[in-house]
Amino acid sequence: MTDRPASPSLPAAQALTALAELLAPGRPAVAEEVLFAYEDPDAYVRTHATRLEDRGIDAPIENLAWIALVDALTAQGLLAEVDWKEDGDEIRRRLRALESRPTVDPWSHAAPEDADGRDPVALDTAAFLNDAGRLHLDLGVALAVLDIESDCYPLVCFPARRAGELTPLAARAGFYAAVLGADQP
């Protein structure tokens, strides 16, 4: 990588850097990788060709820096991608593997069935993730999705006290992210 400015000057680059710091505090390699993809997409694609091949990317694309954020967070153990039709047990397993997970298992305090009598594991993926988001928020951890316009949910955890920063920063960078379960009663 080349030398990068300590503080990017473009609003999108600033937002991407702030997102990397929000989701990977104390791990500057995440912000460096995202800025590399943003500032020199051709070199980023060449450098990470093997990883990007799994995503069907062989040339710079519009959301390359966003994909770089997802991949860098994954490499750091801070992001789990789950399929749009993944079952609840597998989602739990992947979330429990995140380094940024809550210190207390969110499901250890949850009733096996919700007030409607639904088995949470049998919920569709979107409903399960919203319930999981609510359980995480109850423990002071935000569970969020970084939308990569694919048939998966890239999931991250970070301090709930900073949850309000995520969506505006993503929008400033030109992307979409949302805290799950935040709009639930």
Side-chain angles (χ1 to χ4, degrees), residues 133 136-143 157-165 179:
H136 279 71
L137 286 171
D138 289 347
L139 296 173
V141 175
L143 174 64
C157 292
F158 64 101
R161 64 180 161 45
R162 298 193 62 196
E165 298 173 43
V179 174

Side-chain angles (χ1 to χ4, degrees), residues 57-69:
I57 300 170
D58 60 3
I61 57 173
E62 186 177 340
N63 67 342
L64 186 61
W66 193 242
I67 296 295
L69 176 63

Side-chain angles (χ1 to χ4, degrees), residues 7 12 18 37 40 50 54 63 71 91 95 99 102 105 118 154 168-169 173:
S7 177
D40 194 348
T50 303
D54 292 340
N63 67 342
D71 286 347
I91 295 170
L95 291 176
E99 289 186 29
D105 185 351
R118 299 178 302 168
L169 282 172

